[in-house]
Amino acid sequence: MKIAERVPEYIRSLIPYSPGKPIEEVEREYGIEGSIKLASNENPLGPSPKAIKALQARLDQLHLYPDGDCFYLKHGLAEKLKLSPEQLIFGNGSNEIIELAVRTFMRPGDEAVMANQAFVIYRLVVQAAGGICRTVPLKEFTHDLSGIAATITSKTRILFLANPNNPTGTIYRRNEWESFLNEVSEDVLVIADEAYFEYVDDSEYPDSLAYHDKGKTLLTLRTFSKLYGLAGLRIGYGIGSPEIIGLMHRVRQPFNVNAAAQWAALAALDDQEHVSRSIETNRRGMEYLRREIRRLELEEIPSSANFILVRVGNGEEVFTELLKRGVIVRPMAAYDFPEYVRVTIGTMKENQRFIRELERIVKIHRRVAEVS
Ligand SMILES: *Cc1c(COP(=O)(O)O)cnc(C)c1O
């Protein structure tokens, strides 16, 4: 038997993650220039200037292995979050923390529960480990927490929740979260993925960190990829009890977080000006886009994050039309939202360009529909 034939069916049937198209690729394919990317929820203002400075100051140290313990970053963040450093684990993006949690807490045949339209990485990582995914339909575009709690069996090891959810941008609120926690026993790990935490402006939004000392088994995920503008460096973190974090450290590679990411993240944490400017840019961009989408008589899903789902009719077609015009968004058929595209809030200029191109496409489609 050849080695390839020994690969289990759950690996063979994996469909690799399809990321947002990079600008260079689109420009090469369509022979265009000056494109904008509103496809991967990156910070349109770029990285924190303080992070860039911190990186530049230490480029001559890149021949050295990174600090495998992330000592300075860990202590800086622990102080900021008022936690003990033993409650923190860093990863090559928060995606790696998802993988560490699955490798630590799931064996082949164990189950994980998640919404059927949540971040696809959960499904991919669980399947790659031989785990079984139980999915629960969204309710009004957000997590159905009581449905998720009702799907727990004796085989369930992990529950994945994204708050805000990706790709819908919706949140679940404090009441639902608290009754949900009451129904979940401590032998199930609840992962609260809060990649967009800093963007949320809603008084009923539950900060999962406030629930870590209440007898449940919680792992909160946060990242430097979104608000802090460091997606290219790959750094995110998990917060849990020292026991949970200690177990995950056992399966972690010794140098999983590169040196540049550690220097930049520590500096970015301190860059309050960049953070405030980023949140304000997002708030104004979101207001503008929602207004314009309604003016075009299209629907949007109310989002608490830095992106928005827009119902455009044929999502794949509108995505391709926008690509040709140099505007990269994300088609949503893979998430079972074939009528939608997901667009990241950009700078005001980028948002205006998106609306201008979308308006042209929508008008052409409507004219064609009238004629035929
Ligand atoms: C973007 C995103 C992340 C962040 O991933 P990184 O690996 O930290 O870049 C995590 N979870 C969700 C739901 C996201 O949308």
Side-chain angles (χ1 to χ4, degrees):
M1 204 188 202
K2 284 193 288 191
I3 191 164
E5 288 162 11
R6 291 182 187 272
V7 172
E9 185 51 30
Y10 59 80
I11 301 283
R12 289 175 188 279
S13 59
L14 275 173
I15 300 166
Y17 180 72
S18 157
K21 273 186 176 286
I23 286 180
E24 292 87 344
E25 186 182 316
V26 170
E27 301 201 333
R28 208 166 51 232
E29 278 177 20
Y30 290 93
I32 52 178
E33 281 175 14
S35 309
I36 57 169
K37 184 179 178 209
L38 302 174
S40 301
N41 307 339
E42 293 139 336
N43 187 329
L45 300 183
S48 135
K50 284 192 177 177
I52 296 176
K53 265 212 188 106
L55 267 183
Q56 281 167 340
R58 299 180 71 170
L59 288 175
D60 63 348
Q61 293 169 36
L62 285 176
H63 61 300
L64 300 172
Y65 276 99
D67 170 5
D69 184 41
C70 296
F71 182 88
Y72 292 103
L73 178 58
K74 190 187 287 187
H75 282 78
L77 187 59
E79 196 171 307
K80 194 178 152 88
L81 296 176
K82 301 190 170 59
L83 298 164
S84 113
E86 290 74 44
Q87 290 176 271
L88 292 171
I89 184 166
F90 292 87
N92 186 45
S94 52
N95 274 263
E96 192 193 11
I97 310 291
I98 296 169
E99 188 144 30
L100 293 176
V102 167
R103 277 172 51 212
T104 306
F105 298 107
M106 289 186 81
R107 304 281 76 82
D110 287 346
E111 295 180 1
V113 182
M114 64 202 74
N116 65 349
Q117 288 157 305
F119 198 38
V120 286
I121 300 290
Y122 309 148
R123 198 186 296 226
L124 292 179
V125 171
V126 168
Q127 190 181 331
I132 314 284
C133 296
R134 299 270 172 234
T135 58
V136 177
L138 294 182
K139 215 161 113 185
E140 287 163 33
F141 293 92
T142 193
H143 282 75
D144 173 8
L145 292 186
S146 51
I148 288 174
T151 307
I152 297 173
T153 69
S154 59
K155 286 187 172 175
T156 307
R157 296 291 171 271
I158 300 183
L159 305 183
F160 285 98
L161 307 175
N163 204 36
N165 188 26
N166 178 7
T168 57
T170 49
I171 57 170
Y172 50 77
R173 294 186 167 74
R174 196 168 288 127
N175 276 345
E176 302 156 75
W177 164 249
E178 288 179 0
S179 17
F180 162 81
L181 282 182
N182 281 334
E183 291 178 52
V184 179
S185 76
E186 61 175 334
D187 61 0
V188 173
L189 177 68
V190 177
I191 298 189
D193 183 346
E194 297 178 341
Y196 303 97
F197 171 83
E198 300 90 347
Y199 290 107
V200 183
D201 179 18
D202 187 307
S203 59
E204 291 303 308
Y205 177 69
D207 172 353
S208 67
L209 286 191
Y211 297 82
H212 272 254
D213 54 355
K214 302 201 190 306
K216 301 296 171 179
T217 312
L218 282 181
L219 180 67
T220 298
L221 305 185
R222 304 259 174 97
T223 182
F224 287 93
S225 295
K226 305 289 157 60
L227 179 73
Y228 291 100
L230 298 177
L233 281 176
R234 312 302 304 127
I235 180 163
Y237 55 100
I239 306 154
S241 68
E243 189 186 13
I244 293 295
I245 297 296
L247 288 165
M248 289 169 64
H249 272 302
R250 288 163 210 253
V251 300
R252 173 177 78 74
Q253 291 281 328
F255 303 114
N256 64 324
V257 180
N258 72 77
Q262 294 184 39
W263 305 329
L266 183 59
L269 266 188
D270 248 357
D271 198 341
Q272 195 45 51
E273 206 225 305
H274 178 258
V275 165
S276 317
R277 220 156 46 87
S278 301
I279 291 174
E280 183 57 17
T281 300
N282 191 66
R283 195 186 59 74
R284 288 171 43 193
M286 181 69 85
E287 253 177 39
Y288 166 80
L289 284 177
R290 293 185 70 174
R291 198 168 59 234
E292 290 295 301
I293 288 163
R294 273 180 246 137
R295 180 178 65 78
L296 298 181
E297 296 175 11
L298 298 172
E299 289 169 34
E300 33 85 28
I301 308 301
S303 167
S304 293
N306 67 342
F307 57 86
I308 187 166
L309 262 192
V310 191
R311 190 172 181 188
V312 292
N314 184 334
E316 193 63 36
E317 202 172 288
V318 171
F319 160 72
T320 309
E321 288 297 320
L322 284 167
L323 265 194
K324 290 184 198 160
R325 294 162 154 86
V327 178
I328 313 171
V329 299
R330 203 70 165 265
M332 285 286 117
Y335 282 91
D336 212 13
F337 286 126
E339 298 185 345
Y340 291 79
V341 295
R342 192 193 69 196
V343 53
T344 304
I345 315 305
T347 61
M348 201 45 94
K349 238 175 114 181
E350 291 171 331
N351 298 332
Q352 287 164 347
R353 176 152 167 211
F354 163 71
I355 289 293
R356 205 161 54 235
E357 300 300 351
L358 181 65
E359 182 163 14
R360 285 190 187 135
I361 294 166
V362 165
K363 281 192 172 153
I364 292 170
H365 282 190
R366 283 182 185 154
R367 226 171 290 138
V368 170
E370 269 171 35
V371 173
S372 52

